[in-house]
Amino acid sequence: MKKLYSVLLVALLSASILTACSETKVNGKKDGEFYSSEDEAFENAKKESTGIQDIIGESKYVDNEKIVIYTIKEKLNIGVGTATLTQND
């Protein structure tokens, strides 16, 4: 019985990883397409997910990548989300 649960767990984790790594479109742009500014990227994210409120924190660029933390509100629920921005010269 433990082997069955282990196999099911591995299958579920594998499916989750494959699904999370799939290519997505945000406002007609595929994942990995470029915006001309950080503000444009944030505005497009707000259009895609209307619950995004404000950026509450961000890291410095490290190896051309920045982590952004934002607030999100949907109905009566409030939470935080994260995103990464990659800078391309």
Side-chain angles (χ1 to χ4, degrees), residues 8-26:
L8 289 175
L9 180 61
V10 168
L12 180 63
L13 289 174
S14 298
S16 298
I17 290 170
L18 292 174
T19 305
C21 295
S22 65
E23 188 174 89
T24 59
K25 285 190 174 185
V26 176

Side-chain angles (χ1 to χ4, degrees), residues 9 14 24 30 41 47 50 55 58 61 64 76 83 88-89:
L9 180 61
S14 298
T24 59
K30 291 183 182 178
K47 288 177 188 173
T50 56
I55 294 176
E58 56 187 50
Y61 276 100
N64 293 331
L76 299 175
N88 188 12
D89 298 332

Side-chain angles (χ1 to χ4, degrees), residues 39-63:
D39 292 332
E40 181 186 358
F42 185 64
E43 289 303 318
N44 282 318
K46 285 175 72 171
K47 288 177 188 173
E48 178 67 23
S49 179
T50 56
I52 295 175
Q53 302 292 305
D54 292 314
I55 294 176
I56 57 174
E58 56 187 50
S59 69
K60 295 180 181 179
Y61 276 100
V62 177
D63 293 330

